[in-house]
């Protein structure tokens, strides 16, 4: 294969769907990179914002006396002040982020769609954009989570792929949004199994120079290694190849080290299932056990995540993703020592109240993702009759049920 | 191979060489198990104590008015009060621990020698016991550390094996002695590559029933997979087989979960080299970086430890030991969040003083093991000309030299 390439005449248009704490942070770093790589990307990054009205307090640096206390549109504030005052306050955003309240307008002509919003919204979002995206658009899901019913488990990026008929990879790692927004150093992992037709060399650059989907559709392997029933429209040859190099250029920053892998399953499962383990660690620590016990729980949890991957994604799972990547052990450690599910499960045990109570009093009714993940995954494991292979997961489920006490965790795991 | 066995007529005699904080803790759990398994072990556990005189304060529950302030022998206090008042105070020891000030008398007739003392003493200890041990004795080293010169790297258990002409395995894990002494739950890993002749079935139980070394000497593979130049005297057939089952029975407690593996190299390297990473984590945290940055340093450190194992022990290294075992990621996490090297390197950066200064003011002149490990390992890597593969290790060395600043760590690792 010759590596000589035709000079691309077009650039990738990148958009971010979602503008919470994490969505805005990712938009920030991506917008810094589109500006830094004018050869690869259009400079402006559209960011879809669920429109709401915000009243700026008088002591805000963005307070405008001529507007006064009149509530303003969040998109208007972001585009004028370059700050997401509601979800990522006090962080200056690059001026090439364009907040857009229209989902359809945001995704129009975009070749790279970055999904970053609470996972319960993804179904609705995909339905709304399905007929408005480019046929050769590609996705990166920053959404941690899996969709589990008693019958089936589906990765978020699989769901996006299937419902939109495009290829979608996943980003996950030992990441805390506000720290990254403050440009404190950390690492992440992007899993992307580049579809063959998206890499352009001179030969197929010529053969594949259409932007209207006229290029030959290509088969691709889905996350489970199956040839997808949907064929894929290749990225046209007049764009830069959409491969690991381009994605790294889009996400890597001096404060955000990106490692590229192909194992979409490993990265997605690690990001979703670690929340079950984080709950367990919060329980154990809240009960007064020390770091060595908590570490033992983390180790057991990691082994169960890998058992899960081997059992339900045997064709494509790569164990080394869990061991070596930020999306594996890295994310596990951070989630079990500094993140949300751990913090509030610890608090629940320390105060002797239920997690539902904590959600009410501390989280203003917001839900802890680890709880639904535990419920769904354990229901699925019971339906499959394999729960005995997952003692830690099942213990967390039974603690949530109130049928097991936290102090029984080591006893149940000691075998 | 038939599994029927002759009924053993003898029992293993277990001794612990060393009586510090960790040595006494291990003696405690082992003595609990020899009492619980009278079929396998002699009940009494001799523990070698470096004799010293101790004065019990008046408020000690062991204070004896008839002795008054007269200093007493530590061995006498342990054997009378069943407490190591100097190195593991306030922990009741089983009465079948027998403190013994004579090294030669301690090891006499022992079939299982547990080594648990600061690693700088091991050379002298081996010289003193060499001519006094049973030819078929077996060792377990609880000593974390490696002996490194510019030319060579030697695991502690390799050194014991070679200098005594016996087989020696290793115990390491996410363990903090005082917590285990208090029976707080944690896990550990024992690596032991059982010599073939030590497992007794009916057939070789008959062929191998001598206790004087008359049984045929056997070859064995050393930690690097080489056939040892020394042959091994098999454990006689009238003892219980000395295998994973017996060792697990000797070390496992309800509060101390033991996992048995065969990878002596992995367990030993993990226990030794993680201290370099712990220093780096202390530096990073002392400088004010957050958990995500520290996790990134841990991940890089783990990858370098495995690279080291692959490079210098290619025949026998099993990577899964690092990923899956308490002696791998488990020990790494605990060492980088709650243990000594991490704590004091963090303190040094917070106070803006050198580690030497901290050793003086906080450790009463005691040495931090991570410092000598870093110095020796990095000298070895430079001598081999492979330092570029170990950026994190080398950064720690250069910080100790004062030629790199702590704030440069992420920059140096960001590539």
């Amino acid at each position: 294969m010759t590596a000589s390439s035709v000079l691309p005449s077009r650039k990738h248009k990148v958009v971010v769907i979602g503008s919470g704490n994490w969505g805005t942070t990712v938009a920030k770093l991506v917008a810094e990179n589109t500006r830094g790589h004018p050869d690869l990307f259009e400079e402006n990054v559209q960011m879809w914002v669920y429109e709401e009205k915000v009243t700026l307090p008088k002591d805000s640096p963005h307070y405008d006396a001529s507007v006064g206390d009149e509530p303003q549109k969040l998109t208007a504030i972001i585009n004028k002040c370059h700050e997401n005052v509601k979800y990522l306050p006090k962080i200056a955003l690059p001026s090439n982020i364009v907040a857009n309240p229209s989902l359809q307008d945001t995704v129009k002509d975009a070749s790279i769609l970055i999904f970053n919003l609470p996972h319960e919204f993804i179904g609705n979002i995909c339905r709304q954009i399905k007929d408005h995206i480019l046929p050769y658009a590609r996705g990166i899901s920053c959404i941690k989570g899996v969709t589990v019913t008693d019958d089936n488990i589906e990765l978020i990026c699989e769901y996006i792929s299937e419902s939109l008929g495009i290829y979608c990879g996943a980003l996950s790692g030992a990441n805390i949004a506000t720290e990254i927004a403050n440009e404190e150093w950390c690492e992440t992992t992007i899993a992307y199994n580049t579809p063959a037709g998206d890499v352009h060399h001179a030969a197929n650059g010529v053969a594949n120079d259409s932007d209207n989907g006229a290029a030959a559709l290509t088969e691709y392997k889905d996350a489970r290694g199956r040839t997808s029933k949907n064929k894929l429209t290749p990225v046209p040859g007049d764009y830069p190849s959409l491969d690991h190099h381009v994605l790294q250029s889009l996400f890597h920053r001096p404060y955000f080290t990106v490692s590229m892998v192909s194992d979409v399953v490993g990265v997605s499962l690690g990001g979703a299932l670690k929340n079950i383990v984080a709950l367990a660690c919060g329980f154990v620590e809240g009960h007064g056990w020390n770091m060595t016990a908590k570490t033992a729980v983390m180790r057991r949890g990691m082994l169960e995540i890998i058992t899960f991957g081997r059992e339900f994604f045997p064709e494509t799972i790569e164990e080394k993703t869990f061991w070596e990547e930020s999306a594996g052990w890295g994310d596990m450690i951070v989630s079990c020592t500094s993140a949300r599910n751990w913090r509030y499960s610890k608090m629940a045990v320390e105060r002797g109240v239920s997690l539902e109570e904590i959600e009410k009093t501390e989280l203003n009714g917001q839900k802890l993702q680890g709880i639904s993940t535990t419920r769904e995954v354990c229901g699925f494991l019971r339906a499959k009759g394999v729960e005995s292979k997952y003692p830690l997961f099942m213990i967390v489920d039974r603690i949530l049920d109130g049928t097991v006490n936290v102090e029984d965790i080591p006893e149940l795991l000691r075998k």
Side-chain angles (χ1 to χ4, degrees), chain A:
Chain A
M1 196 185 290
T2 62
S4 66
S5 54
V6 290
L7 212 58
S9 57
R10 302 170 75 186
K11 298 171 182 186
H12 289 292
K13 179 179 173 188
V14 183
V15 303
V16 178
I17 301 168
S19 53
N21 185 255
W22 184 215
T24 308
T25 299
V26 168
K28 171 180 177 291
L29 63 89
V30 157
E32 289 164 358
N33 280 327
T34 57
R35 200 166 252 179
H37 296 284
D39 51 323
L40 298 173
F41 308 110
E42 289 186 16
E43 183 172 349
N44 278 357
V45 173
Q46 301 279 327
M47 174 171 79
W48 176 66
V49 176
Y50 180 83
E51 189 68 286
E52 55 190 300
K53 292 286 187 75
V54 175
T55 303
L56 288 173
K58 281 208 177 60
D59 59 357
S60 162
H62 306 301
Y63 183 79
D64 181 345
S66 71
V67 175
D69 291 344
E70 194 66 34
Q72 299 167 63
K73 287 182 176 170
L74 181 55
T75 51
I77 297 175
I78 294 173
N79 289 334
K80 183 173 156 211
C81 311
H82 307 298
E83 181 181 323
N84 186 337
V85 292
K86 179 137 189 195
Y87 296 106
L88 194 65
K90 298 192 180 130
I91 299 293
L93 300 177
S95 59
N96 57 327
I97 291 181
V98 181
N100 190 332
S102 160
L103 204 44
Q104 287 82 4
D105 191 58
T106 298
V107 300
K108 186 168 177 285
D109 296 330
S111 55
I112 301 179
L113 311 170
I114 300 169
F115 295 88
N116 198 327
L117 66 179
H119 84 297
E120 56 270 33
F121 301 142
I122 190 68
N124 193 19
I125 295 289
C126 286
R127 274 188 295 280
Q128 292 185 59
I129 65 174
K130 186 168 175 27
D131 298 327
H132 300 270
I133 60 172
L134 290 176
Y136 52 80
R138 297 291 178 259
I140 294 289
S141 166
C142 302
I143 305 166
K144 294 185 178 185
V146 287
T147 307
V148 191
T149 61
D150 280 2
D151 295 333
N152 191 29
I153 175 159
E154 187 167 47
L155 311 177
I156 299 291
C157 56
E158 279 187 298
Y159 175 81
I160 295 171
S161 274
E162 288 299 309
S163 66
L164 300 179
I166 65 172
Y167 178 79
C168 185
L171 179 152
S172 179
N175 302 141
I176 293 182
T178 45
E179 294 179 357
I180 298 168
N182 281 306
E183 306 194 357
E184 297 175 44
W185 177 58
C186 69
E187 301 182 316
T188 204
T189 312
I190 296 176
Y192 195 84
N193 199 357
T194 312
D198 296 354
V199 181
H200 307 137
H201 303 281
N204 61 355
V206 171
N208 181 19
D209 59 353
S210 161
D211 65 351
N212 56 13
L217 296 178
T218 55
E219 290 188 332
Y220 77 107
K221 302 270 189 196
D222 69 10
R224 297 166 204 240
R226 300 170 303 206
T227 300
S228 171
K229 56 183 189 301
N230 300 321
K231 294 206 171 175
L232 216 54
T233 307
V235 174
D238 49 357
Y239 278 94
S241 295
L242 211 172
D243 57 9
H244 280 192
H245 170 72
V246 165
L247 290 171
Q248 193 151 34
S249 304
L250 183 59
F251 286 95
H252 185 89
R253 297 295 300 155
Y255 54 85
F256 192 62
T257 303
V258 172
S259 164
M260 299 294 310
V261 302
S262 298
D263 178 19
V264 176
V265 170
V267 166
S268 300
L269 284 185
L273 301 181
K274 59 103 205 270
N275 282 329
I276 308 177
V277 187
L279 288 181
C281 283
F283 293 150
V284 162
E285 197 169 349
H287 196 71
W289 275 300
N290 49 47
M291 192 66 196
T292 54
K294 197 168 101 169
T295 300
V297 170
M298 289 163 66
R299 193 185 72 79
R300 302 296 183 102
M302 183 56 97
L303 293 176
E304 290 188 19
I305 291 175
I306 293 170
T307 301
F308 190 98
R310 274 203 217 113
E311 181 147 13
F312 299 109
F313 298 86
E315 305 83 359
T316 48
I317 188 84
E318 291 182 37
E319 293 186 24
K320 72 172 198 280
T321 305
F322 299 101
W323 307 135
E324 294 186 1
E325 291 296 329
S326 179
W329 261 116
D331 191 18
M332 176 68 88
I333 296 168
V334 166
S335 299
C336 294
T337 58
S338 351
R340 194 176 156 88
N341 286 280
W342 162 79
R343 180 172 302 114
Y344 291 110
S345 65
K346 178 166 171 275
M347 189 185 284
V349 175
E350 283 168 350
R351 296 188 184 171
V353 300
S354 69
L355 274 172
E356 288 71 26
E357 186 66 26
I358 292 286
E359 286 177 333
K360 256 184 251 159
T361 57
E362 301 297 319
L363 292 166
N364 203 17
Q366 270 194 322
K367 296 293 174 192
L368 280 177
Q369 201 177 345
I371 298 179
S372 57
T373 304
T374 305
R375 295 319 211 163
E376 291 167 10
V377 167
C378 290
F380 172 77
L381 293 172
R382 266 190 298 268
K384 298 279 179 195
V386 294
E387 64 266 44
S388 66
K389 295 185 202 167
Y390 303 89
L392 180 67
F393 291 180
M394 301 312 292
I395 287 168
V396 176
D397 193 54
R398 288 164 67 197
I399 289 173
L400 293 176
D401 280 342
T403 57
V404 156
N405 293 318
V406 172
E407 55 266 41
D408 299 329
I409 292 180
E411 188 59 40
L412 290 163
L413 289 175
R414 260 168 204 166
K415 291 163 287 181

